[in-house]
Amino acid sequence: MTNAQATETYPGELADVPGWFPPLDQMLFTWFLERQQKQGMRGDLLELGVYMGKSAILLGHHLQDGEKFTVCDLFEGDAPDGANQAEATKSYASLTQQAFERNYLSFHDTLPTVIAAPSSVVTEKVAPGTCRFVHVDASHLYEHVHADIGAAHDILMPEGIVVLDDFRSEHTPGVSVAAWEAVLNRGLRPVCLSTQKLYGTWGDPEPLQEELLDMLRQRTDCGLSVQEAAGH
Ligand SMILES: C[S@@+](CC[C@H](N)C(=O)[O-])C[C@H]1O[C@@H](n2cnc3c(N)ncnc32)[C@H](O)[C@@H]1O
């Protein structure tokens, strides 16, 4: 992962916020979150790994009355092990909690609940079965992603959505191993894949897939292919 440039200015639009959140994923997040809202699903939102807030800002736009949004990041704090510290130093050296909060408050009146700590603490802070959407985008090292996926499973509601970032990049094999391990051995059902992210559920993916296909077939700006692999 390359370093996104931090800015000292207040962002006017999401494109001004440094980070890694491609337009296709912005569209897919919006679709999944709006579908949940249309279906009357209520539940909290969680993001592990916010960096400067690019995806968190979009998530915050979908918060319904009475729902809670929690984010977790190391920010300037120490990582729990040397490999994670090296990852943070290499890719996120310019990150501060203040920069995240400044960016977030350029788009929203109030901050989410911010956990400035390793993602391993999240199960102590967010109750089981409470979230409708969890974005796993913190460390890309296998041991951390494996644990983050386990936490997402515990924290999600039965039909909730988990999104795993960087599940297939050449520089993040740990995410790939943890993601496909979750599919093959931990009951995760993939709903769709974008270039960067795997969207999954521990509920039933089929109604979601049918509606998603309907939506995507009407768009001329998205390539689409349907694949089957190992029964998924
Ligand atoms: C790829 S960036 C997140 C990108 C962000 N979601 C966006 O939209 O641009 C990964 C973030 O995870 C954080 N991180 C790395 N290891 C972590 C850990 N063990 N626990 C919590 N956060 C961690 C980093 O500080 C960094 O901000």
Side-chain angles (χ1 to χ4, degrees):
M1 179 166 293
T2 51
N3 237 322
Q5 285 303 306
T7 58
E8 295 304 321
T9 54
Y10 289 85
E13 53 186 70
L14 200 57
D16 300 334
V17 179
W20 298 270
F21 193 35
L24 175 59
D25 291 301
Q26 294 177 29
M27 184 271 280
L28 288 169
F29 271 49
T30 301
W31 185 84
F32 278 101
L33 289 156
E34 286 183 349
R35 181 186 182 275
Q36 290 181 333
Q37 284 159 2
K38 278 185 212 137
Q39 292 207 323
M41 189 172 180
R42 306 194 71 78
D44 297 334
L45 310 179
L46 172 66
E47 180 166 83
L48 305 179
V50 293
Y51 190 58
M52 298 279 182
K54 202 173 182 84
S55 47
I57 288 164
L58 186 143
L59 282 165
H61 285 306
H62 295 278
L63 205 57
Q64 304 174 100
D65 283 349
E67 292 180 340
K68 187 171 170 186
F69 181 24
T70 303
V71 302
C72 174
D73 202 291
L74 292 172
F75 298 110
E76 305 95 317
D78 289 335
D81 59 67
N84 192 193
Q85 189 63 50
E87 184 188 23
T89 305
K90 179 164 176 248
S91 299
Y92 316 120
S94 56
L95 177 63
T96 63
Q97 184 171 348
Q98 190 187 22
F100 161 73
E101 293 186 354
R102 178 202 60 200
N103 288 342
Y104 193 90
L105 290 173
S106 299
F107 296 85
H108 298 285
D109 293 336
T110 53
L111 286 171
T113 301
V114 179
I115 305 170
S119 57
S120 53
V121 309
V122 78
T123 46
E124 295 160 27
K125 310 272 184 190
V126 181
T130 54
C131 284
R132 61 184 169 99
F133 194 99
V134 176
H135 185 205
V136 175
D137 194 8
S139 170
H140 292 101
L141 301 169
Y142 169 76
E143 291 74 12
H144 293 271
V145 185
H146 175 89
D148 290 348
I149 292 171
H153 180 218
D154 294 346
I155 285 167
L156 273 174
M157 300 159 67
E159 297 295 329
I161 296 291
V162 63
V163 185
L164 307 179
D165 181 66
D166 261 338
F167 77 103
R168 58 173 221 139
S169 298
E170 64 273 29
H171 64 286
T172 56
V175 187
S176 306
V177 175
W180 294 121
E181 174 193 49
V183 171
L184 293 175
N185 300 336
R186 304 174 85 190
L188 181 63
R189 312 281 308 273
V191 178
C192 73
L193 310 175
S194 66
T195 308
Q196 197 161 321
K197 298 183 194 283
L198 184 155
Y199 295 73
T201 181
W202 278 277
D204 181 1
E206 282 180 19
L208 276 160
Q209 286 170 325
E210 281 168 23
E211 280 181 46
L212 187 57
L213 283 169
D214 281 348
M215 183 274 286
L216 290 170
R217 283 187 180 123
Q218 287 168 36
R219 293 184 69 121
T220 52
D221 59 343
C222 296
L224 173 65
S225 79
V226 179
Q227 309 283 337
E228 200 179 308
H232 293 279

